[in-house]
Amino acid sequence: MKKLLFITTLIGCTAGSAFAQQAKSINVESWCGAYSKSEVEAYNKPFTEKTGIVVNMIDSDDPQTPLTAQVRAKNVSSDVFDIEVAPAIRLCDEGALVEINPDDLPPAPDGTPARDDFLPDTLHDCAVPNILWGTVIAYDKTKFPENPPTKAADFFDTEKFPGKRGLPKNPKRTLYLALIADGVPADKIFETLDTPEGVDQAFKKLDTIKKDVVWWEAGAQPMQLLADGEVSMTTAYNGRVFDAMVAEKKPFEVIWDGQYMDMNMFVIPKDAPNPELAMEYVKFATATEQLANQAKWISYGPARKSSAPLIGKYSDGVTDMAPHMPTAPEHLETAVFDDPEFWADHDAELTERFNAWLAG
Amino acid sequence: MANTLPDPHAAIVIDAGGVAPDGQLNAADGRSISRALGRSQRAARRRAFLLVLPLLLFIVITFVVPIGQMLARSVYNDGFSARMPAVGEWFAAHPVGTPPDEAAYAALVSDLAKSAADKSIGVVGTRINYDYPGTRSLFTSTGRKVDDLRPPFIETLPKVNAKWADPALWAVMREASRPLTPNFYLAAMDRTKNDAGKVVQVAPQQRVYLMLFLRTFILSLVITGLTFILGFPIAHLLATLPTRKANLLMVLVLLPFWTSLLVRTTAWIVLLQQQGVINDLLVWLGFLDNGSRLQMIYNRTGTLIAMTHVLLPFMILPLYSVMRSINPSYERAARSLGATSWTAFRRVYFPQTLPGLGAGALLVFILAVGYYITPALVGGSSGQLISNMIAVHMTETLNWSLAAALAALLLGGVLILYYVYDRLVGIDNLKLG
């Protein structure tokens, strides 16, 4: 009997201590690949070092999917999610996210309050942005030794630039490119897409390369297709292209003309298991130094103005990061800025139309 | 002690004078033998039931309940009705066709204000957006300004956004004010309701699901046929070879069967792509020149090849197990009676393989109809199946009701097929091994 008592106490203790340890860790769900690695290096490791809180990184193709599923099932298991703007606004409107007051966020090193330090219109009620990233065209230099393509329109010119094209299998990152290539100015894209004629125009332009397209679904696929020689040109997330070019030394080049600018943001679901620790993490990760640090690992632009001057070299110590940043001034001239409101309204409808077009 | 159960074996030992006056057979202890038998069987049944209880619970929790929820979700969506009660009451009190009056607008504004305050207006807008694209932001943006509105709302609300005066929007809101709706099934069949409430086909450039259902069924039939053509001779060979050789060959069937689906699909990508092994080989051998490499993947061909390979074991294994049990002397007898080898095969051997063929075909077809990963990876645009569209609505557009309606239609199709199979062949003839 005594022995039994002893054993149960022992189990109780270890269970208790295991529990205590668990309370000191948070789950963060983010995208996979080079991007989540940059977050581990720039945010998670220093955060654990400073606070002792362990950060479990959970990878996903698109973290808004598990987030939505967890919220709807009323069983939220992660504390912080790294998602895009449109779902952040949608989930905030649905009351699923914790509201975050910009005054709670750390100021810039020179004392500028966070409200003014983040790029204009990037802070949202429930979300703190960390990076801006671009969808760009990447091509294989060896396929076009002389006369390389330079414009978005060249993507649709398979006569002059032979080879297959890689495009993502969704309307959001294909229709804009068709319109840009058709001569619609970058700041008129969503105005045009809001009309039936504009949508028709985009699909008509896509028709011209439909038979030459290899469709991709996950961010890692386009670089694989390009490396395999399956496509000679593809759109891809600029950080992935950078990773392939610099870290893996592939002969790729980027066309910045008509890049599609997006933002990633941190959100905390209302029923998160550790909301206080989650808030601490978000504050830490979106501070000036951490955002600048992330650029050491991947070429995504920090969302704070005060981070920009701190950006130096890539983690290899040689490559200058500035010219690879999607937020570099010369890359912004023809950039299309994502319009989350437009997509909240029209995503379902255009996805349906896009799928019908694909299948037809 | 008298009340406890007698030993069931003792109960059947009939006493010499066991016939009671009323003609009943009695056991040694004088009780009715049929009752004793029933009682002992009841105990056995209870034990058996307890043994299957874990499985039963498991199936109910992981299969019956989710499928029930899915079916419910396909017809039940209270995104609008639960959060907009006042305007719902107005709809209930006024018949279809009544133009909205001030009372309707006032009800709408009070609902919008409440829904905006408790942060559920996004859910409301999303529900309406399914049936009337482009209105989600109408709800969320109006929700932000609704507290500043003054009556008469019939004039001030359309000033915020002219869409509030659109009769089509009111028709959609009326539809959504009841949580039970057939609209998701209509959408899953490329149908919609027009402003007058009549069911019509959607615009030609939006029609996609019926075509995909048809494609899924045709492709699955073709794949079933291909697995039969490829699998039958192999199964026959396996069944007739001496055991040692057959076992060796069997490993070749089973190894891919045990390999992860994802690995096999990726292997096909390596083999089939334009810069892949097969194209390289053909170019090297001089059958193709470098410019005209075959496109064997990212289209329907890729789906067909990869899925046929992945599903082949599901045809071979049932066929093999049935063929093993066919007595070879029947065919020999037919031959000795003068049948040609083709006739003996056609009239004696083949009919005996039908139970295995039926099982294999049913397995392959039903698995193919629901296939998702392989077409997603190698299907390109022309090799997508209906399950890929279900996945899109589950993970991208997040329209779970539509995904549920599509899945329910698919399930219904499979059940009809199962019923037809049962009537034509008989499910008792199914042999899985």
Side-chain angles (χ1 to χ4, degrees):
Chain A
M1 197 63 199
K2 247 185 192 163
K3 201 170 171 184
L4 189 72
L5 198 71
F6 175 71
I7 291 172
T8 47
T9 337
L10 195 72
I11 291 172
C13 284
T14 46
S17 66
F19 198 75
Q21 216 166 33
Q22 217 152 43
K24 273 299 207 188
S25 78
I26 56 169
N27 295 338
V28 177
E29 297 208 18
S30 180
W31 312 70
C32 40
Y35 176 62
S36 72
K37 187 174 167 256
S38 76
E39 292 189 310
V40 168
E41 296 292 342
Y43 310 155
N44 300 4
K45 282 186 183 169
F47 183 67
T48 308
E49 216 168 276
K50 190 179 153 212
T51 60
I53 300 166
V54 178
V55 181
N56 303 315
M57 202 67 169
I58 300 168
D59 282 353
S60 149
D61 271 348
D62 183 352
Q64 71 136 329
T65 309
L67 173 55
T68 307
Q70 289 179 20
V71 166
R72 287 201 190 171
K74 298 192 173 57
N75 183 15
V76 179
S77 59
S78 289
D79 306 286
V80 179
F81 288 81
D82 182 326
I83 61 178
E84 287 174 43
V85 189
I89 292 179
R90 177 175 59 76
L91 287 158
C92 191
D93 282 339
E94 291 175 10
L97 304 178
V98 174
E99 290 196 33
I100 298 173
N101 185 351
D103 295 335
D104 294 347
L105 298 171
D110 63 0
T112 316
R115 204 181 275 286
D116 302 320
D117 193 29
F118 278 93
L119 294 169
D121 300 327
T122 55
L123 279 171
H124 284 264
D125 291 350
C126 311
V128 188
N130 64 341
I131 51 133
L132 286 87
W133 53 280
T135 303
V136 295
I137 300 169
Y139 64 90
D140 188 338
K141 279 196 278 193
T142 60
K143 293 275 165 72
F144 313 109
E146 54 235 46
N147 255 337
T150 52
K151 294 266 165 232
D154 297 341
F155 192 84
F156 287 80
D157 191 347
T158 45
E159 297 258 303
K160 211 163 141 204
F161 305 101
K164 299 253 170 203
R165 303 292 194 257
L167 278 174
K169 207 192 278 172
N170 62 54
K172 185 173 173 180
R173 296 210 174 77
T174 46
L175 298 181
Y176 82 93
L177 191 65
L179 288 180
I180 287 270
D182 221 14
V184 178
D187 53 348
K188 294 275 186 298
I189 292 296
F190 290 105
E191 225 171 277
T192 312
L193 273 183
D194 212 5
T195 63
E197 299 79 42
V199 176
D200 287 343
Q201 185 190 352
F203 277 108
K204 231 174 121 192
K205 186 73 182 174
L206 283 178
D207 269 335
T208 61
I209 53 163
K210 188 176 180 185
K211 59 175 188 352
D212 296 306
V213 175
V214 177
W215 301 97
W216 55 265
E217 288 186 80
Q221 272 175 303
M223 288 299 102
Q224 191 60 48
L225 290 170
L226 203 58
D228 283 354
E230 274 303 286
V231 299
S232 62
M233 237 190 262
T234 181
T235 59
Y237 308 144
N238 79 289
R240 309 260 181 185
V241 186
F242 173 83
D243 198 58
M245 278 163 62
V246 176
E248 292 173 32
K249 309 244 183 303
K250 299 271 193 238
F252 301 159
E253 194 58 71
V254 175
I255 301 174
W256 288 98
D257 183 43
Q259 70 155 322
Y260 191 91
M261 183 69 84
D262 250 307
M263 229 183 341
N264 272 21
M265 351 206 29
F266 282 124
V267 297
I268 304 169
K270 258 202 183 128
D271 304 319
N274 309 298
E276 289 91 23
L277 299 185
M279 191 64 216
E280 223 170 292
Y281 175 81
V282 170
K283 279 191 218 163
F284 179 84
T286 58
T288 302
E289 194 196 338
Q290 265 59 43
L291 291 188
N293 231 341
Q294 187 179 27
K296 204 156 123 191
W297 302 94
I298 199 159
S299 61
Y300 288 141
R304 273 182 190 256
K305 292 177 206 157
S306 58
S307 303
L310 302 179
I311 297 173
K313 294 205 183 310
Y314 181 58
S315 55
D316 64 358
V318 196
T319 317
D320 239 340
M321 288 308 280
H324 294 284
M325 284 293 170
T327 42
E330 67 271 24
H331 298 158
L332 289 178
E333 280 161 22
T334 56
V336 180
F337 284 87
D338 180 50
D339 182 347
E341 287 270 281
F342 176 86
W343 287 111
D345 275 351
H346 297 284
D347 196 11
E349 172 199 12
L350 288 176
T351 302
E352 204 125 284
R353 170 94 188 256
F354 182 78
N355 286 329
W357 174 82
L358 263 187
Chain B
M1 242 1 230
N3 286 336
T4 53
L5 272 178
D7 177 359
H9 299 291
I12 359 182
V13 179
I14 301 168
D15 191 42
V19 183
D22 55 359
Q24 244 188 339
L25 277 175
N26 279 349
D29 61 357
R31 290 159 191 247
S32 152
I33 195 165
S34 63
R35 272 178 57 201
L37 195 66
R39 198 177 298 136
S40 75
Q41 276 177 349
R42 213 162 34 242
R45 267 205 300 273
R46 200 178 305 131
R47 260 202 308 278
F49 177 74
L50 281 176
L51 281 174
V52 297
L53 190 65
L55 177 66
L56 200 66
L57 279 177
F58 180 74
I59 287 178
V60 167
I61 291 169
T62 61
F63 190 69
V64 178
V65 173
I67 285 193
Q69 278 185 333
M70 179 196 83
L71 290 174
R73 204 181 268 280
S74 66
V75 290
Y76 185 88
N77 190 319
D78 63 357
F80 182 87
S81 56
R83 291 163 188 86
M84 306 291 271
V87 73
E89 266 170 41
W90 187 88
F91 281 129
H94 296 78
V96 180
T98 321
D101 53 12
E102 174 60 19
Y105 275 96
L108 180 63
V109 167
S110 83
D111 280 342
L112 284 175
K114 227 180 291 160
S115 173
D118 67 16
K119 286 244 159 214
S120 61
I121 193 137
V123 181
V124 175
T126 304
R127 169 66 188 92
I128 299 299
N129 204 55
Y130 290 151
D131 290 335
Y132 189 148
T135 50
R136 194 183 176 281
S137 65
L138 174 70
F139 279 84
T140 50
S141 65
T142 308
R144 270 175 233 129
K145 297 172 201 148
V146 75
D147 287 336
D148 306 331
L149 284 180
R150 295 287 162 267
F153 297 118
I154 194 163
E155 284 165 20
T156 50
L157 193 58
K159 272 188 203 138
V160 175
N161 191 319
K163 269 189 193 156
W164 287 115
D166 185 354
L169 176 65
W170 282 87
V172 167
M173 287 201 289
R174 179 183 283 277
E175 278 286 320
S177 68
R178 279 165 312 182
L180 277 177
T181 169
N183 284 9
F184 295 109
Y185 278 98
L186 291 179
M189 289 185 280
D190 293 336
R191 299 286 192 283
T192 185
K193 283 188 185 161
N194 63 10
D195 295 351
K198 266 190 69 177
V199 174
V200 290
Q201 277 202 307
V202 297
Q205 68 265 31
Q206 299 273 26
R207 284 176 208 160
V208 57
Y209 303 116
L210 285 186
M211 192 268 281
L212 276 182
F213 272 116
L214 193 67
R215 176 192 287 172
T216 305
F217 274 80
I218 291 176
L219 260 183
S220 303
L221 273 180
V222 172
I223 288 165
T224 311
L226 283 175
T227 53
F228 166 63
I229 292 168
L230 296 172
F232 196 90
I234 295 172
H236 181 72
L237 188 67
L238 282 172
T240 47
L241 276 180
T243 320
R244 276 185 60 180
K245 280 186 189 159
N247 282 345
L248 199 70
L249 263 182
M250 195 61 168
V251 171
L252 295 181
V253 175
L254 288 175
L255 261 186
F257 187 58
W258 291 330
T259 311
S260 149
L261 177 70
L262 210 55
V263 173
R264 277 185 286 167
T265 306
T266 322
W268 276 114
I269 296 178
V270 174
L271 285 173
L272 294 179
Q273 62 185 357
Q274 283 204 307
Q275 306 294 327
V277 177
I278 292 178
N279 265 315
D280 280 350
L281 202 69
L282 289 176
V283 170
W284 184 70
L285 290 172
F287 289 120
L288 291 175
D289 71 286
N290 208 5
S292 58
R293 285 168 177 256
L294 296 175
Q295 180 73 40
M296 294 180 288
I297 204 166
Y298 306 124
N299 55 18
R300 212 167 302 175
T301 319
T303 301
L304 212 59
I305 295 175
M307 277 179 70
T308 302
H309 174 246
V310 169
L311 293 173
L312 201 51
F314 292 97
M315 179 64 90
I316 294 178
L317 294 175
L319 270 178
Y320 166 75
S321 79
V322 168
M323 284 173 176
R324 286 274 295 208
S325 64
I326 295 174
N327 193 334
S329 58
Y330 294 160
E331 213 181 344
R332 284 203 292 273
R335 294 295 300 277
S336 76
L337 290 170
T340 62
S341 60
W342 169 238
T343 311
F345 170 78
R346 189 168 53 89
R347 300 192 51 190
V348 176
Y349 187 77
F350 185 71
Q352 295 184 81
T353 65
L354 278 179
L357 177 60
L362 204 64
L363 265 181
V364 170
F365 184 84
I366 289 178
L367 282 173
V369 159
Y371 240 56
Y372 158 63
I373 295 178
T374 307
L377 285 175
V378 303
S381 61
S382 63
Q384 298 293 299
L385 304 182
I386 193 71
S387 43
N388 300 103
M389 210 47 66
I390 296 175
V392 163
H393 287 301
M394 286 302 289
T395 62
E396 280 171 41
T397 65
L398 300 167
N399 189 348
W400 290 3
S401 289
L402 181 55
L406 287 169
L409 286 180
L410 192 61
L411 180 66
V414 170
L415 287 180
I416 290 174
L417 193 89
Y418 186 81
Y419 174 77
V420 170
Y421 180 88
D422 188 31
R423 295 309 295 269
L424 290 181
V425 187
I427 221 70
D428 315 338
N429 286 332
L430 205 70
K431 259 197 186 153
L432 288 174

